[in-house]
Amino acid sequence: MTDGQNIKPLTSLRFFAALWVVLFHYWPNLAGASAHAEPAAIAKGYLGVELFFILSGFILSHVYRTSVETGRFRYGSFLWARLARVYPLHLATLAAMGLMAAAAGVAGIAVDPNIMSWSSLPANLTLTRPGGFRRSPAGTIPPGRSRPNGSPI
């Protein structure tokens, strides 16, 4: 496969990996869904994260292979390109969440601090963890779930 060939099917597969993770997290909250009715594929949705990262790594390797082989690859340019691609959407999402939280506040609806916390805004703007570099006690497992191997979080 050359650098110019189309690898859109792999890029599209990343959407389904992300959707798998979303279903894993939100299945218990869906109307009419119960923990007993959760399909086995949804219960393994945490694997979508690994699939997404594997596909992303392959796609990035494919895209940058020639520049690495010829010695033209520059890490700073790579990081800048990644930031320019991700950060604008991050800011738009952050602004949308802020507007929804503000509207909820005006309507008298309390916003769970696990969903939106104004004190975590600086960390969100700088793409760092709100708690610093220590491990979060909650990890990425939603409430009411345990790790696949049953180990404590």
Side-chain angles (χ1 to χ4, degrees):
M1 196 182 275
T2 63
D3 286 346
Q5 283 186 307
N6 189 345
I7 55 174
K8 284 187 180 179
L10 291 179
T11 302
S12 300
L13 188 54
R14 290 188 311 165
F15 166 79
F16 291 106
L19 179 62
W20 194 14
V21 174
V22 169
L23 286 173
F24 169 73
H25 283 285
Y26 290 102
W27 186 267
N29 299 327
L30 295 176
S34 69
H36 301 294
E38 182 178 57
I42 300 297
K44 298 286 185 188
Y46 60 90
L47 295 173
V49 174
E50 283 83 0
L51 178 60
F52 185 90
F53 285 151
I54 289 168
L55 290 170
S56 296
F58 178 81
I59 291 167
L60 285 172
S61 297
H62 177 74
V63 169
Y64 287 98
R65 178 179 56 90
T66 303
S67 64
V68 170
E69 289 173 349
T70 60
R72 293 180 292 121
F73 179 80
R74 298 293 172 257
Y75 190 63
S77 298
F78 169 79
L79 288 179
W80 185 253
R82 297 291 96 212
L83 184 66
R85 182 176 176 123
V86 172
Y87 199 66
L89 181 59
H90 174 71
L91 288 178
T93 304
L94 193 59
M97 288 295 295
L99 289 173
M100 285 190 288
V106 168
I109 301 170
V111 178
D112 186 337
N114 289 319
I115 295 173
M116 184 72 176
S117 169
W118 294 109
S119 64
S120 68
L121 183 62
N124 278 303
L125 288 172
T126 58
L127 297 174
T128 55
R129 293 179 61 142
F133 291 104
R134 63 183 167 80
R135 184 169 179 256
S136 169
T140 59
I141 309 295
R145 299 255 189 175
S146 62
R147 290 184 184 210
N149 62 5
S151 67
I153 296 175

